[in-house]
Protein backbone atom coordinates (compact mmCIF):
# COMPACT_ATOMS: atom_id res chain seq x y z
CA UNK A 1 0.00 0.00 0.00
CA UNK A 2 1.33 3.42 -0.93
CA UNK A 3 1.74 5.77 1.95
CA UNK A 4 1.14 9.36 2.88
CA UNK A 5 3.34 12.30 3.85
CA UNK A 6 2.23 14.67 6.62
CA UNK A 7 4.04 17.97 6.24
CA UNK A 8 4.14 19.78 9.60
CA UNK A 9 4.82 23.49 9.96
CA UNK A 10 3.43 25.51 12.89
CA UNK A 11 1.46 22.49 14.16
CA UNK A 12 4.00 20.47 16.12
CA UNK A 13 1.57 18.18 17.93
CA UNK A 14 -0.07 14.79 17.59
CA UNK A 15 -3.45 15.52 19.17
CA UNK A 16 -5.96 17.67 17.27
CA UNK A 17 -3.88 17.53 14.12
CA UNK A 18 -6.29 17.16 11.17
CA UNK A 19 -3.52 16.55 8.63
CA UNK A 20 -2.05 13.72 10.68
CA UNK A 21 -5.48 12.21 11.34
CA UNK A 22 -6.33 12.22 7.62
CA UNK A 23 -3.06 10.47 6.78
CA UNK A 24 -3.57 7.83 9.47
CA UNK A 25 -7.08 7.13 8.23
CA UNK A 26 -5.62 5.89 4.92
CA UNK A 27 -4.12 2.93 6.75
CA UNK A 28 -0.70 2.83 5.08
CA UNK A 29 2.82 4.01 5.99
CA UNK A 30 2.97 7.60 7.23
CA UNK A 31 5.97 9.91 6.87
CA UNK A 32 5.73 12.78 9.35
CA UNK A 33 7.93 15.50 7.86
CA UNK A 34 9.26 18.83 9.10
CA UNK A 35 11.02 21.05 6.55
CA UNK A 36 13.37 23.81 7.65
CA UNK A 37 12.86 26.19 4.74
CA UNK A 38 15.09 29.25 4.89
CA UNK A 39 15.64 29.40 1.14
CA UNK A 40 12.26 29.84 -0.58
CA UNK A 41 11.86 33.41 -1.80
CA UNK A 42 10.09 35.59 0.75
CA UNK A 43 10.41 33.18 3.68
CA UNK A 44 11.66 34.93 6.81
CA UNK A 45 14.30 32.91 8.70
CA UNK A 46 13.60 32.27 12.37
CA UNK A 47 15.27 34.33 15.07
CA UNK A 48 17.75 32.86 17.53
CA UNK A 49 15.29 32.39 20.41
CA UNK A 50 12.76 30.81 18.06
CA UNK A 51 15.37 28.32 16.86
CA UNK A 52 16.15 27.38 20.45
CA UNK A 53 12.45 26.67 21.05
CA UNK A 54 12.05 24.84 17.75
CA UNK A 55 14.92 22.49 18.61
CA UNK A 56 13.18 21.50 21.83
CA UNK A 57 9.78 21.17 20.20
CA UNK A 58 11.05 18.97 17.37
CA UNK A 59 12.98 16.77 19.81
CA UNK A 60 9.86 16.36 21.95
CA UNK A 61 7.70 15.53 18.94
CA UNK A 62 10.20 12.97 17.70
CA UNK A 63 10.20 11.29 21.11
CA UNK A 64 6.39 11.10 21.08
CA UNK A 65 6.42 9.59 17.60
CA UNK A 66 9.06 7.04 18.58
CA UNK A 67 6.92 6.05 21.54
CA UNK A 68 4.22 5.22 18.99
CA UNK A 69 6.44 3.27 16.64
CA UNK A 70 7.43 6.05 14.23
CA UNK A 71 9.95 8.91 14.00
CA UNK A 72 10.05 12.49 12.79
CA UNK A 73 11.70 13.08 9.41
CA UNK A 74 13.73 16.30 9.28
CA UNK A 75 14.88 17.91 6.05
CA UNK A 76 16.34 21.28 5.14
CA UNK A 77 15.89 23.25 1.92
CA UNK A 78 13.26 24.92 -0.29
CA UNK A 79 9.92 23.35 0.61
CA UNK A 80 8.87 22.55 -2.96
CA UNK A 81 12.07 20.61 -3.62
CA UNK A 82 12.10 18.83 -0.27
CA UNK A 83 8.45 17.75 -0.38
CA UNK A 84 8.95 16.35 -3.90
CA UNK A 85 12.02 14.43 -2.78
CA UNK A 86 10.36 12.95 0.30
CA UNK A 87 7.24 11.97 -1.66
CA UNK A 88 9.48 10.06 -4.08
CA UNK A 89 11.48 8.40 -1.29
CA UNK A 90 8.28 7.37 0.52
CA UNK A 91 6.52 6.29 -2.69
CA UNK A 92 3.60 8.29 -1.32
CA UNK A 93 0.40 8.94 -3.19
CA UNK A 94 -0.99 11.57 -0.80
CA UNK A 95 0.34 14.61 1.06
CA UNK A 96 -1.47 16.35 3.92
CA UNK A 97 -0.80 19.62 5.70
CA UNK A 98 -2.55 22.19 7.86
CA UNK A 99 -3.04 25.60 6.30
CA UNK A 100 -0.80 28.65 6.61
CA UNK A 101 -2.08 32.19 6.13
CA UNK A 102 0.72 34.47 4.99
CA UNK A 103 0.77 35.46 1.33
CA UNK A 104 4.21 33.95 0.63
CA UNK A 105 3.37 30.73 2.46
CA UNK A 106 0.02 30.40 0.68
CA UNK A 107 1.70 30.81 -2.70
CA UNK A 108 4.31 28.16 -1.84
CA UNK A 109 1.62 25.75 -0.68
CA UNK A 110 -0.56 26.38 -3.73
CA UNK A 111 2.39 25.72 -6.04
CA UNK A 112 3.23 22.47 -4.28
CA UNK A 113 -0.40 21.34 -4.32
CA UNK A 114 -0.69 22.02 -8.07
CA UNK A 115 2.58 20.22 -8.79
CA UNK A 116 1.50 17.16 -6.81
CA UNK A 117 -1.90 16.98 -8.45
CA UNK A 118 -0.30 17.22 -11.90
CA UNK A 119 1.42 13.94 -11.03
CA UNK A 120 -1.79 12.34 -9.69
CA UNK A 121 -0.65 12.66 -6.10
CA UNK A 122 -3.40 13.76 -3.75
CA UNK A 123 -2.79 16.94 -1.78
CA UNK A 124 -5.12 18.05 1.00
CA UNK A 125 -5.01 20.94 3.47
CA UNK A 126 -7.02 21.49 6.64
CA UNK A 127 -7.85 24.14 9.23
CA UNK A 128 -5.92 23.51 12.42
CA UNK A 129 -4.31 26.62 13.91
CA UNK A 130 -7.03 29.28 13.84
CA UNK A 131 -10.53 29.05 15.24
CA UNK A 132 -11.88 31.22 12.43
CA UNK A 133 -10.05 31.27 9.12
CA UNK A 134 -9.66 34.81 7.75
CA UNK A 135 -11.99 34.44 4.77
CA UNK A 136 -14.80 33.25 7.05
CA UNK A 137 -14.93 36.45 9.16
CA UNK A 138 -15.85 39.44 7.03
CA UNK A 139 -17.91 42.60 7.40
CA UNK A 140 -21.33 42.95 5.82
CA UNK A 141 -19.55 44.49 2.82
CA UNK A 142 -17.37 41.40 2.43
CA UNK A 143 -14.17 43.11 3.62
CA UNK A 144 -11.80 42.42 6.48
CA UNK A 145 -12.59 43.79 9.93
CA UNK A 146 -10.19 46.59 10.80
CA UNK A 147 -11.40 47.12 14.38
CA UNK A 148 -11.18 44.40 17.00
CA UNK A 149 -14.49 44.82 18.85
CA UNK A 150 -16.72 44.30 15.77
CA UNK A 151 -14.50 41.33 14.85
CA UNK A 152 -14.97 39.88 18.33
CA UNK A 153 -18.72 40.42 18.16
CA UNK A 154 -18.85 38.71 14.77
CA UNK A 155 -16.95 35.59 15.82
CA UNK A 156 -19.02 35.23 18.99
CA UNK A 157 -22.10 34.96 16.77
CA UNK A 158 -20.53 32.18 14.68
CA UNK A 159 -21.03 28.45 15.37
CA UNK A 160 -18.94 27.04 18.20
CA UNK A 161 -15.49 25.86 17.07
CA UNK A 162 -15.26 22.15 16.31
CA UNK A 163 -14.26 19.65 18.97
CA UNK A 164 -10.54 18.76 19.14
CA UNK A 165 -9.42 15.49 17.58
CA UNK A 166 -8.04 12.81 19.93
CA UNK A 167 -4.39 11.91 20.14
CA UNK A 168 -3.48 8.92 17.95
CA UNK A 169 -2.23 5.64 19.35
CA UNK A 170 0.23 3.84 17.10
CA UNK A 171 1.69 5.78 14.16
CA UNK A 172 3.05 3.71 11.24
CA UNK A 173 6.75 4.20 10.61
CA UNK A 174 7.96 5.92 7.45
CA UNK A 175 9.33 3.65 4.71
CA UNK A 176 12.96 2.60 5.11
CA UNK A 177 14.05 4.63 2.09
CA UNK A 178 13.15 7.99 3.65
CA UNK A 179 16.23 9.70 5.07
CA UNK A 180 16.27 12.30 7.82
CA UNK A 181 18.68 15.00 8.92
CA UNK A 182 20.03 14.95 12.46
CA UNK A 183 18.45 17.73 14.51
CA UNK A 184 21.74 18.60 16.22
CA UNK A 185 23.31 19.25 12.82
CA UNK A 186 20.97 22.22 12.33
CA UNK A 187 22.94 24.16 14.96
CA UNK A 188 19.94 25.70 16.73
CA UNK A 189 21.35 25.53 20.26
CA UNK A 190 23.68 28.30 21.46
CA UNK A 191 27.09 27.13 22.60
CA UNK A 192 29.66 29.94 22.81
CA UNK A 193 28.24 31.66 24.73
CA UNK A 194 25.32 29.56 25.94
CA UNK A 195 22.74 32.31 26.46
CA UNK A 196 19.74 29.97 26.84
CA UNK A 197 20.03 29.05 30.52
CA UNK A 198 17.17 31.32 31.57
CA UNK A 199 14.95 29.97 28.81
CA UNK A 200 15.66 26.38 29.83
CA UNK A 201 14.59 27.27 33.38
CA UNK A 202 11.43 29.02 32.22
CA UNK A 203 10.05 26.74 29.51
CA UNK A 204 9.32 23.18 28.46
CA UNK A 205 8.89 23.17 24.67
CA UNK A 206 6.65 20.46 23.25
CA UNK A 207 3.11 19.14 23.40
CA UNK A 208 3.40 17.85 26.96
CA UNK A 209 4.75 21.18 28.15
CA UNK A 210 1.88 23.00 26.42
CA UNK A 211 -0.85 20.99 28.15
CA UNK A 212 0.94 21.14 31.47
CA UNK A 213 1.12 24.93 31.10
CA UNK A 214 -2.61 25.13 30.31
CA UNK A 215 -3.58 23.05 33.35
CA UNK A 216 -1.32 25.03 35.66
CA UNK A 217 -2.85 28.25 34.37
CA UNK A 218 -6.34 26.95 35.07
CA UNK A 219 -5.44 25.63 38.51
CA UNK A 220 -3.23 28.47 39.72
CA UNK A 221 -3.96 31.66 37.80
CA UNK A 222 -7.25 31.72 35.88
CA UNK A 223 -9.30 32.85 38.87
CA UNK A 224 -6.94 35.84 39.20
CA UNK A 225 -6.89 36.68 35.50
CA UNK A 226 -8.30 40.13 36.25
CA UNK A 227 -4.80 40.93 37.60
CA UNK A 228 -3.17 40.04 34.28
CA UNK A 229 -1.87 43.60 33.70
CA UNK A 230 0.30 43.39 36.81
CA UNK A 231 3.62 41.87 35.70
CA UNK A 232 4.59 40.74 39.21
CA UNK A 233 1.48 38.56 39.43
CA UNK A 234 1.53 35.08 37.87
CA UNK A 235 -1.93 35.52 36.37
CA UNK A 236 -1.28 35.17 32.63
CA UNK A 237 -1.39 31.86 30.77
CA UNK A 238 2.12 31.89 29.19
CA UNK A 239 0.60 29.81 26.39
CA UNK A 240 1.74 32.11 23.58
CA UNK A 241 4.88 30.16 22.53
CA UNK A 242 2.98 26.87 22.65
CA UNK A 243 0.25 28.32 20.44
CA UNK A 244 2.84 29.91 18.17
CA UNK A 245 4.46 26.52 17.45
CA UNK A 246 1.16 24.67 17.39
CA UNK A 247 2.05 22.41 20.31
CA UNK A 248 -1.49 23.03 21.46
CA UNK A 249 -4.35 24.14 19.25
CA UNK A 250 -6.75 27.01 19.93
CA UNK A 251 -9.55 24.43 19.67
CA UNK A 252 -8.06 22.52 22.59
CA UNK A 253 -7.72 25.70 24.64
CA UNK A 254 -11.23 26.90 23.76
CA UNK A 255 -12.96 23.67 24.72
CA UNK A 256 -10.88 23.08 27.84
CA UNK A 257 -12.00 26.47 29.11
CA UNK A 258 -15.60 25.48 28.44
CA UNK A 259 -15.09 22.28 30.45
CA UNK A 260 -15.11 21.56 34.16
CA UNK A 261 -14.10 24.68 36.09
CA UNK A 262 -14.71 26.21 39.49
CA UNK A 263 -17.07 29.23 39.59
CA UNK A 264 -14.24 31.73 40.18
CA UNK A 265 -12.34 30.28 37.26
CA UNK A 266 -15.36 30.34 34.96
CA UNK A 267 -15.92 34.01 35.79
CA UNK A 268 -12.68 34.90 34.00
CA UNK A 269 -13.12 32.70 30.90
CA UNK A 270 -14.71 35.43 28.70
CA UNK A 271 -11.81 37.79 29.41
CA UNK A 272 -9.25 35.14 28.50
CA UNK A 273 -11.05 34.06 25.32
CA UNK A 274 -11.20 37.69 24.25
CA UNK A 275 -7.40 37.78 24.41
CA UNK A 276 -7.26 34.55 22.42
CA UNK A 277 -9.42 36.29 19.82
CA UNK A 278 -6.83 39.09 19.54
CA UNK A 279 -4.47 36.43 18.20
CA UNK A 280 -7.07 35.55 15.58
CA UNK A 281 -7.59 39.22 14.73
CA UNK A 282 -3.86 39.69 14.16
CA UNK A 283 -3.76 36.69 11.84
CA UNK A 284 -6.75 38.15 10.03
CA UNK A 285 -4.71 41.34 9.51
CA UNK A 286 -1.72 39.31 8.31
CA UNK A 287 -3.87 37.45 5.77
CA UNK A 288 -5.41 40.59 4.30
CA UNK A 289 -2.29 42.80 4.22
CA UNK A 290 1.00 42.55 2.38
CA UNK A 291 4.05 41.86 4.54
CA UNK A 292 3.03 43.58 7.77
CA UNK A 293 6.54 43.14 9.18
CA UNK A 294 7.88 45.66 6.66
CA UNK A 295 4.97 47.71 5.28
CA UNK A 296 2.77 50.16 7.17
CA UNK A 297 -0.84 49.00 7.05
CA UNK A 298 -1.87 52.65 7.19
CA UNK A 299 0.23 53.93 4.33
CA UNK A 300 0.24 57.55 5.52
CA UNK A 301 2.85 56.41 8.04
CA UNK A 302 5.27 55.96 5.14
CA UNK A 303 5.91 59.69 5.57
CA UNK A 304 6.61 59.53 9.31
CA UNK A 305 9.88 61.33 10.20
CA UNK A 306 11.67 58.64 12.20
CA UNK A 307 15.01 59.55 13.79
CA UNK A 308 18.30 58.06 12.65
CA UNK A 309 19.62 56.77 15.94
CA UNK A 310 23.07 55.52 16.79
CA UNK A 311 23.91 51.90 17.54
CA UNK A 312 24.84 53.00 21.04
CA UNK A 313 21.31 54.33 21.66
CA UNK A 314 19.71 51.17 20.31
CA UNK A 315 22.03 49.01 22.37
CA UNK A 316 20.90 50.75 25.56
CA UNK A 317 17.29 49.85 24.75
CA UNK A 318 18.17 46.28 23.75
CA UNK A 319 20.28 45.66 26.85
CA UNK A 320 17.90 47.31 29.31
CA UNK A 321 20.19 50.18 30.31
CA UNK A 322 17.97 53.13 29.33
CA UNK A 323 17.73 54.35 32.92
CA UNK A 324 13.93 53.94 32.81
CA UNK A 325 13.11 51.20 35.30
CA UNK A 326 10.10 49.47 33.71
CA UNK A 327 11.68 49.50 30.25
CA UNK A 328 14.95 48.09 31.56
CA UNK A 329 13.19 45.39 33.57
CA UNK A 330 11.21 44.29 30.53
CA UNK A 331 14.17 44.16 28.19
CA UNK A 332 16.17 42.13 30.72
CA UNK A 333 13.28 39.73 31.20
CA UNK A 334 13.19 39.31 27.42
CA UNK A 335 16.91 38.57 27.19
CA UNK A 336 16.81 36.10 30.08
CA UNK A 337 13.58 34.17 29.37
CA UNK A 338 12.78 34.82 25.70
CA UNK A 339 9.48 36.40 26.73
CA UNK A 340 8.07 39.54 28.30
CA UNK A 341 4.85 40.37 30.10
CA UNK A 342 2.37 41.88 27.63
CA UNK A 343 1.78 45.12 29.54
CA UNK A 344 5.55 45.64 29.67
CA UNK A 345 5.86 44.83 25.95
CA UNK A 346 3.57 47.77 25.27
CA UNK A 347 5.64 50.06 27.46
CA UNK A 348 9.00 49.02 26.00
CA UNK A 349 7.69 49.26 22.43
CA UNK A 350 6.11 52.66 23.03
CA UNK A 351 9.36 53.91 24.57
CA UNK A 352 11.32 52.92 21.46
CA UNK A 353 8.79 54.15 18.90
CA UNK A 354 7.61 57.34 20.58
CA UNK A 355 10.10 58.44 23.22
CA UNK A 356 13.14 57.48 21.14
CA UNK A 357 11.30 58.05 17.82
CA UNK A 358 12.74 54.87 16.31
CA UNK A 359 11.07 53.13 13.36
CA UNK A 360 8.85 50.33 14.70
CA UNK A 361 10.44 47.87 12.25
CA UNK A 362 13.72 48.03 14.17
CA UNK A 363 11.95 46.98 17.35
CA UNK A 364 9.94 44.33 15.54
CA UNK A 365 13.13 42.77 14.21
CA UNK A 366 14.71 42.69 17.69
CA UNK A 367 11.65 40.99 19.16
CA UNK A 368 11.62 38.60 16.19
CA UNK A 369 15.15 37.54 17.12
CA UNK A 370 14.72 37.36 20.91
CA UNK A 371 11.13 36.20 21.57
CA UNK A 372 10.33 32.50 21.75
CA UNK A 373 6.74 33.31 20.75
CA UNK A 374 7.48 35.67 17.84
CA UNK A 375 5.25 34.79 14.92
CA UNK A 376 4.64 36.50 11.62
CA UNK A 377 1.23 37.92 12.57
CA UNK A 378 1.28 38.80 16.27
CA UNK A 379 4.76 40.27 16.47
CA UNK A 380 4.33 42.65 13.54
CA UNK A 381 0.67 43.50 14.22
CA UNK A 382 1.38 44.41 17.83
CA UNK A 383 4.30 46.65 16.86
CA UNK A 384 2.10 48.37 14.29
CA UNK A 385 -0.61 48.74 16.94
CA UNK A 386 1.79 50.58 19.23
CA UNK A 387 3.14 52.70 16.34
CA UNK A 388 -0.38 53.66 15.26
CA UNK A 389 0.12 52.31 11.74
CA UNK A 390 -1.87 49.04 11.89
CA UNK A 391 -5.41 47.70 12.17
CA UNK A 392 -7.31 49.06 15.19
CA UNK A 393 -4.14 50.82 16.24
CA UNK A 394 -3.77 52.85 19.38
CA UNK A 395 -4.14 56.56 18.59
CA UNK A 396 -0.69 57.96 18.02
CA UNK A 397 -1.08 60.39 20.90
CA UNK A 398 -1.44 57.42 23.28
CA UNK A 399 2.08 57.22 24.63
CA UNK A 400 2.70 54.62 27.33
CA UNK A 401 4.54 56.63 29.94
CA UNK A 402 6.65 53.88 31.56
CA UNK A 403 6.87 55.65 34.92
CA UNK A 404 3.08 55.95 35.15
CA UNK A 405 2.69 52.35 33.99
CA UNK A 406 5.06 51.33 36.78
CA UNK A 407 3.09 53.28 39.38
CA UNK A 408 -0.17 51.74 38.23
CA UNK A 409 0.77 48.13 37.55
CA UNK A 410 3.86 47.52 39.70
CA UNK A 411 3.39 49.96 42.57
CA UNK A 412 5.54 47.94 45.00
CA UNK A 413 8.23 47.49 42.33
CA UNK A 414 8.19 43.71 42.72
CA UNK A 415 8.59 43.11 39.01
CA UNK A 416 11.21 45.81 38.53
CA UNK A 417 13.30 44.57 41.46
CA UNK A 418 13.27 41.06 40.02
CA UNK A 419 15.19 42.32 36.98
CA UNK A 420 16.78 45.59 38.15
CA UNK A 421 18.42 45.11 41.57
CA UNK A 422 17.82 47.89 44.06
CA UNK A 423 21.55 48.31 44.68
CA UNK A 424 22.41 48.68 41.00
CA UNK A 425 24.15 51.89 39.97
CA UNK A 426 21.52 53.24 37.59
CA UNK A 427 22.24 55.57 34.66
CA UNK A 428 20.28 58.74 34.11
CA UNK A 429 17.26 58.22 31.81
CA UNK A 430 18.43 58.51 28.22
CA UNK A 431 15.44 60.70 27.29
CA UNK A 432 13.14 63.07 29.12
CA UNK A 433 9.75 61.36 28.99
CA UNK A 434 7.70 64.56 28.83
CA UNK A 435 9.87 66.32 26.25
CA UNK A 436 10.20 63.21 24.08
CA UNK A 437 6.43 62.74 24.12
CA UNK A 438 5.99 66.26 22.80
CA UNK A 439 8.62 65.58 20.13
CA UNK A 440 6.70 62.48 19.04
CA UNK A 441 3.42 64.37 18.78
CA UNK A 442 5.15 67.07 16.74
CA UNK A 443 6.52 64.42 14.39
CA UNK A 444 3.02 62.98 13.99
CA UNK A 445 1.65 66.40 13.08
CA UNK A 446 4.49 66.82 10.58
CA UNK A 447 3.48 63.51 8.97
CA UNK A 448 -0.16 64.59 8.75
CA UNK A 449 0.84 67.78 6.94
CA UNK A 450 2.94 65.87 4.40
Amino acid sequence: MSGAVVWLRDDLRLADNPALRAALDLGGPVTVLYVLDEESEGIRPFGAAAKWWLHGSLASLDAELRHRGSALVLRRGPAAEVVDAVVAEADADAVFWNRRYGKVEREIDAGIKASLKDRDIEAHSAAANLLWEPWTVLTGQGTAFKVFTPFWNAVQAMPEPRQPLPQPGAVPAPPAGVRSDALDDWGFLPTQPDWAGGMRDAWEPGEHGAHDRLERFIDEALADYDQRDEPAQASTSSLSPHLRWGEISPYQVWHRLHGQLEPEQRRMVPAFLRQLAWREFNWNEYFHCDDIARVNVRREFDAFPWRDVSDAELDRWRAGTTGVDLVDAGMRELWHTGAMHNRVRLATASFLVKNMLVDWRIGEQWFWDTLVDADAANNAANWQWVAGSGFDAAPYFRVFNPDRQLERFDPHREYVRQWVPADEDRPEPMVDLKASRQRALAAYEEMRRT
Side-chain angles (χ1 to χ4, degrees):
M1 180 180 295
S2 295
V5 172
V6 180
W7 176 23
L8 300 182
R9 291 87 75 84
D10 298 330
D11 48 3
L12 303 179
R13 62 183 182 272
L14 300 183
D16 196 35
N17 193 314
L20 177 60
R21 172 53 54 190
L24 293 173
D25 287 346
L26 293 181
V30 174
T31 300
V32 182
L33 169 69
Y34 182 85
V35 180
L36 177 62
D37 183 0
E38 298 177 304
E39 299 175 41
S40 293
E41 185 176 356
I43 289 292
R44 188 179 190 183
F46 297 131
K51 287 181 177 180
W52 173 86
W53 187 287
L54 179 58
H55 185 282
S57 190
L58 293 174
S60 175
L61 181 60
D62 180 59
E64 291 295 325
L65 284 167
R66 290 180 184 277
H67 182 68
R68 290 164 174 78
S70 185
L72 182 62
V73 173
L74 302 174
R75 298 287 277 272
R76 190 170 197 164
E81 297 177 14
V82 172
V83 170
D84 271 357
V86 172
V87 166
E89 292 170 17
D91 191 25
D93 55 12
V95 181
F96 300 89
W97 62 73
N98 297 313
R99 285 192 280 274
R100 301 187 287 185
Y101 300 97
K103 181 181 178 182
V104 170
E105 293 85 355
R106 298 196 316 268
E107 290 174 348
I108 291 171
D109 292 356
I112 292 173
K113 182 176 286 190
S115 174
L116 292 169
K117 290 187 174 181
D118 284 345
R119 290 176 284 137
D120 294 324
I121 298 171
E122 294 185 37
H124 302 282
S125 61
N129 296 323
L130 294 180
L131 296 169
W132 307 287
E133 294 190 286
W135 54 87
T136 69
V137 189
L138 299 172
T139 68
Q141 292 72 44
T143 59
F145 282 96
K146 296 185 177 181
V147 178
F148 173 75
T149 298
F151 174 88
W152 176 227
N153 292 337
V155 297
Q156 288 184 96
M158 297 177 70
E160 183 175 75
R162 63 163 176 79
Q163 289 288 331
L165 301 170
Q167 192 170 73
V171 177
V178 179
R179 67 172 184 85
S180 177
D181 295 345
L183 179 57
D184 287 345
D185 289 345
W186 284 0
F188 282 177
L189 298 182
T191 55
Q192 296 178 346
D194 178 5
W195 42 258
M199 294 193 291
R200 285 193 294 271
D201 292 340
W203 302 104
E204 181 190 351
E207 192 168 4
H208 178 270
H211 287 274
D212 181 66
R213 181 76 66 170
L214 174 60
E215 294 305 317
R216 280 191 286 137
F217 168 60
I218 291 171
D219 292 343
E220 302 172 7
L222 179 57
D224 298 320
Y225 193 64
D226 52 357
Q227 301 174 30
R228 61 190 177 276
D229 277 333
E230 301 175 27
Q233 306 303 315
S235 55
T236 59
S237 74
S238 297
L239 283 171
S240 57
H242 298 291
L243 284 164
R244 182 263 175 270
W245 296 104
E247 298 165 346
I248 193 170
S249 79
Y251 299 92
Q252 292 171 306
V253 175
W254 179 278
H255 286 286
R256 177 64 184 89
L257 289 172
H258 284 89
Q260 187 67 37
L261 297 173
E262 298 296 328
E264 285 302 299
Q265 295 170 329
R266 189 168 300 282
R267 176 180 65 90
M268 297 310 304
V269 166
F272 179 79
L273 294 181
R274 195 172 191 274
Q275 295 304 309
L276 190 64
W278 264 103
R279 173 179 180 269
E280 303 271 331
F281 180 72
N282 289 340
W283 277 98
N284 190 62
E285 178 175 357
Y286 183 56
F287 176 82
H288 288 286
C289 300
D290 289 339
D291 195 2
I292 61 172
R294 292 191 296 179
V295 178
N296 292 306
V297 174
R298 295 174 57 191
R299 297 309 298 267
E300 61 266 33
F301 273 80
D302 291 352
F304 194 90
W306 303 109
R307 291 177 59 232
D308 290 326
V309 295
S310 67
D311 288 341
E313 288 179 274
L314 286 174
D315 284 345
R316 289 188 65 179
W317 178 78
R318 291 167 178 151
T321 58
T322 67
V324 179
D325 286 349
L326 186 62
V327 173
D328 291 350
M331 299 305 290
R332 295 180 193 190
E333 181 191 15
L334 171 61
W335 183 254
H336 187 74
T337 69
M340 191 193 304
H341 186 278
N342 187 62
R343 171 60 55 174
V344 187
R345 292 191 197 199
L346 298 178
T348 58
S350 179
F351 182 83
L352 181 75
V353 172
K354 295 178 179 176
N355 297 106
M356 294 177 64
L357 218 60
V358 172
D359 191 324
W360 62 265
R361 283 160 282 224
I362 294 174
E364 193 276 342
Q365 178 60 47
W366 182 249
F367 274 26
W368 179 262
D369 196 46
T370 55
L371 281 172
V372 294
D373 64 2
D375 70 27
N378 286 290
N379 192 50
N382 286 330
W383 273 94
Q384 293 223 41
W385 185 89
V386 170
S389 59
F391 276 8
D392 199 14
Y396 189 82
F397 53 79
R398 184 182 184 186
V399 179
F400 285 81
N401 183 303
D403 287 347
R404 292 177 184 170
Q405 295 285 307
L406 178 62
E407 292 170 5
R408 182 176 177 186
F409 297 110
D410 191 31
H412 303 296
R413 302 176 68 86
E414 297 170 78
Y415 172 78
V416 162
R417 289 306 173 219
Q418 181 180 358
W419 301 107
V420 182
D423 59 355
E424 180 178 303
D425 186 13
R426 299 287 288 140
E428 288 295 316
M430 60 186 297
V431 296
D432 179 276
L433 295 177
K434 183 177 180 180
S436 59
R437 179 182 186 275
Q438 293 302 317
R439 180 180 63 182
L441 296 180
Y444 178 64
E445 290 302 319
E446 178 183 339
M447 178 199 79
R448 293 181 65 188
R449 293 193 297 269
T450 301

